Amino acid sequence: MSAAVLPPRPASPAAAPAVSANRLLVGLAGILIAAMMAGLNNRVGALALADVRGALGFGMDDASWLTTAYNVGEVLAMPFSAWFAITLSVRRFELWMIGVCSLLAACLPFIHDLGLLLTIRFLQGIASGTMIPVLMMAALKFLTPDIRLHGLALYALTATFAPNLSIWLAGYWTDGLFDWRWVYWQILPFAAIAALLIGWGLPKEPIQRDRFPQADWVGMACGVPAFALIAIALDQGERLDWLNSPLIASSLVAGSALLGVHLLLEWYHPTPFIKWQMLGRRNLGIGFTLFVVLLLVMASGSLLPMRYLGALQDYRQLQMAPIGLIVALPQLILGSLVALLLYRKWVDARVVFAGGLLLIALACFLAARLTSDWNRDQFILAQTLQAFGQPMAVVSMLFLCTSVVHPSEGSYVSGSINTLRALGSLSGGAVVGHLLTIRQRFHAEMLLDHAALASHLIPVTQEPAQLMGVIGPQAWVLSIADAYRVLGVLALLMVPFVLCMAHIPAPNLQPPTSRSTSSPEG
């Protein structure tokens, strides 16, 4: 095992001696727990928002900003967290962020002032948003090629396991324990375990103060408000009717302009936070673009079943939990099984990626047959296909992308992919929400037209309220079916682009005797 982990490179001759490989793996396990904690903190808070709102007495519009505040903080942190982790040392940075996140979580249930609550949730989003990028950076930095893919499979859990497990957790806290405070307190035991593992396992490294004057602070000053404004627009756009809202319109315009300046400054700066030039490599450019689209497609496995069961069947979170667990629980082993498959010399990762997309597309087309009589059980087959398709797609994508970068470039890759991931998740929710709204209106109008035509042939007509009580649910069912079809087609359209990526041979399973020197793809 000791030969399978790269010893951490000291920052300077005065750096502390490297820890053993086994202790380093323990530290990486702590980073994984912290990243999973961050994912759950985000998703569970959003799912249980109605219960939190009811307990604190907030209106629906005001409470919606609690989710937005957290998402904005998370998006702000992701592009820059890897740089700060390297500069301050991974151990020190992670312990600080875990401590801040835990302290804020302990205080949140006792705060009833909306302004203060939004501020604290925003700060907690910043602290939590640093943890997922650090996980990928650490996997690329510390793990050798013969086990690195298993580390990336663990990173994939933050995209496949945490969002689906959150459905059960949100329901358990609100409907099982009947204590909404655990929506925020749930991270405390995870934080304690993660801090102990990180504190014991990772090396104590000095702060690299010489990196501070070299950083692109002007670019960061433009990037922070740019990402914040875009995140606000994406998260609140559907509720405020997009460009019909001055807030959303101005946020998109100002955010896009500042983002352009940020990218320009980062592009030409000698020591940027993120090297966007790396997207010029074929596998990175195509792969990261596909990842953003994949995040949208994966909404078919969590968002759409919940939208249907919650609105049509009046399911609570705990009743919907099995739908999420069907996808979540297999991820604990399927990610590593996919990694083992990709280590076989005869396996082409592009084919595995395409196979995962085909399974997701098949799941979408099966779920698109839903009717108003469907309940939780009718989703089992589609969710099972999602459970297999998602890790095949995500782990293969990570392998194809990260294989063309050197471990020293891990911070740049981590920053770029997680920034795209954060914005992609918000964009996916906004696109699916807008699609459902448009299709629901279309189907409602069509059904009303049919009802008007039928009224000439049927002597007994219904009252308008009764008619809308019938048409409304049917329009919602048809809109969700349309969304499934759109996401299924989108998954199929991704397949040719996957096959355009460069073939990456499986790495050697024998532990290398020295640090990998594979050169990035041109």
Side-chain angles (χ1 to χ4, degrees):
M1 177 66 73
S2 60
V5 181
L6 294 173
R9 290 178 296 177
S12 66
V19 299
S20 68
N22 289 333
R23 287 185 62 174
L24 188 58
L25 289 176
V26 170
L28 291 175
I31 295 176
L32 170 64
I33 294 173
M36 296 297 295
M37 175 192 78
L40 294 175
N41 192 30
N42 181 2
R43 186 68 176 149
V44 173
L47 292 174
L49 184 60
D51 295 273
V52 173
R53 176 172 59 85
L56 297 178
F58 296 143
M60 183 178 298
D61 292 339
D62 291 339
S64 69
W65 287 96
L66 287 174
T67 301
T68 302
Y70 186 94
N71 288 335
V72 169
E74 191 175 56
V75 169
L76 294 186
M78 285 189 170
F80 313 106
S81 58
W83 185 92
F84 281 98
I86 292 175
T87 303
L88 302 175
S89 87
V90 176
R91 180 182 183 273
R92 181 181 290 106
F93 184 67
E94 280 283 281
L95 291 178
W96 283 358
M97 293 300 103
I98 290 174
V100 169
C101 192
S102 302
L103 178 62
L104 295 176
C107 299
L108 270 169
F110 302 105
I111 298 172
H112 296 268
D113 178 75
L114 180 61
L116 182 57
L117 196 62
L118 289 173
T119 302
I120 292 181
R121 193 65 173 154
F122 167 72
L123 295 175
Q124 193 181 44
I126 293 177
S128 296
T130 64
M131 298 174 188
I132 295 177
V134 171
L135 173 61
M136 170 173 274
M137 184 202 70
L140 294 175
K141 177 182 179 182
F142 295 127
L143 301 181
T144 52
D146 58 299
I147 63 168
R148 184 178 299 147
L149 191 51
H150 291 287
L152 295 176
L154 295 177
Y155 168 82
L157 290 176
T158 62
T160 58
F161 176 73
N164 292 287
L165 179 67
S166 298
I167 302 173
W168 174 75
L169 283 175
Y172 185 75
W173 302 138
T174 56
D175 296 340
L177 289 182
F178 299 103
D179 192 343
W180 64 271
R181 295 175 297 177
W182 281 100
V183 169
Y184 299 124
W185 288 346
Q186 65 177 351
I187 70 169
L188 297 179
F190 294 108
I193 296 172
L196 288 174
L197 296 180
I198 292 171
W200 184 78
L202 295 186
K204 297 180 180 180
E205 298 175 327
I207 297 176
Q208 301 183 47
R209 293 179 173 84
D210 59 313
R211 287 171 58 89
F212 284 101
Q214 302 172 3
D216 182 17
W217 297 112
V218 178
M220 183 178 181
C222 294
V224 167
F227 291 123
L229 291 170
I230 292 174
I232 289 172
L234 293 174
D235 205 54
Q236 291 286 333
E238 186 61 26
R239 186 180 71 85
L240 297 178
D241 199 18
W242 293 104
L243 296 181
N244 291 322
S245 165
L247 173 63
I248 301 302
S250 59
S251 295
L252 285 175
V253 172
S256 299
L258 287 171
L259 181 61
V261 176
H262 165 74
L263 294 177
L264 191 64
L265 291 170
E266 284 282 276
W267 189 276
Y268 290 104
H269 199 278
T271 55
F273 289 100
I274 298 176
K275 283 186 178 179
W276 295 105
Q277 296 94 325
M278 296 176 64
L279 297 182
R281 302 175 192 174
R282 192 203 314 179
N283 277 19
L284 288 180
I286 297 176
F288 285 4
T289 303
L290 291 176
F291 185 44
V292 174
V293 181
L294 181 60
L295 292 170
L296 170 60
V297 171
M298 286 169 57
S300 60
S302 56
L303 180 60
L304 291 183
M306 293 180 60
R307 287 289 187 94
Y308 171 84
L309 293 172
L312 269 296
Q313 306 297 346
D314 295 323
Y315 275 40
R316 291 278 296 169
Q317 302 289 349
L318 196 57
Q319 295 171 307
M320 290 186 280
I323 294 297
L325 293 178
I326 289 173
V327 179
L329 295 181
Q331 306 308 312
L332 296 174
I333 59 172
L334 286 179
S336 291
L337 291 179
V338 173
L340 289 174
L341 179 65
L342 295 177
Y343 275 128
R344 306 279 76 82
K345 295 293 185 181
W346 50 270
V347 173
D348 189 336
R350 298 173 298 178
V351 175
V352 179
F353 193 168
L357 291 174
L358 292 176
L359 288 179
I360 295 175
L362 180 58
C364 290
F365 294 136
L366 288 175
R369 301 161 56 192
L370 85 168
T371 67
S372 56
D373 296 326
W374 274 37
N375 57 36
R376 187 176 62 196
D377 296 338
Q378 277 70 50
F379 286 95
I380 291 177
L381 178 58
Q383 293 298 99
T384 302
L385 293 173
Q386 292 274 1
F388 284 90
Q390 290 185 15
M392 289 173 63
V394 176
V395 177
S396 300
M397 183 276 301
L398 292 173
F399 170 69
L400 290 168
C401 292
T402 60
S403 295
V404 300
V405 300
H406 191 271
S408 63
E409 299 176 305
S411 62
Y412 299 124
V413 174
S414 175
S416 58
I417 193 172
N418 284 287
T419 301
L420 294 173
R421 169 188 169 162
L423 294 176
S425 297
L426 291 176
S427 300
V431 169
V432 171
H434 192 57
L435 175 62
L436 290 175
T437 299
I438 292 175
R439 297 305 295 174
Q440 185 185 21
R441 290 173 182 170
F442 170 79
H443 288 300
E445 292 175 359
M446 295 298 294
L447 291 173
L448 281 173
D449 290 341
H450 286 299
L453 293 174
S455 64
H456 298 290
L457 304 175
I458 301 175
V460 179
T461 59
Q462 292 181 318
E463 294 293 329
Q466 294 176 322
L467 186 61
M468 289 305 300
V470 175
I471 289 178
Q474 290 301 320
W476 188 243
V477 171
L478 293 172
S479 67
I480 292 179
D482 287 347
Y484 270 120
R485 294 187 188 97
V486 170
L487 296 181
V489 171
L490 196 56
L492 292 178
L493 292 176
M494 293 170 64
V495 173
F497 294 95
V498 170
L499 300 179
C500 289
M501 299 178 74
H503 171 66
I504 302 296
N508 189 357
L509 287 178
Q510 296 299 322
T513 56
S514 62
R515 180 176 293 271
S516 173
T517 58
S518 58
S519 60
E521 176 194 15

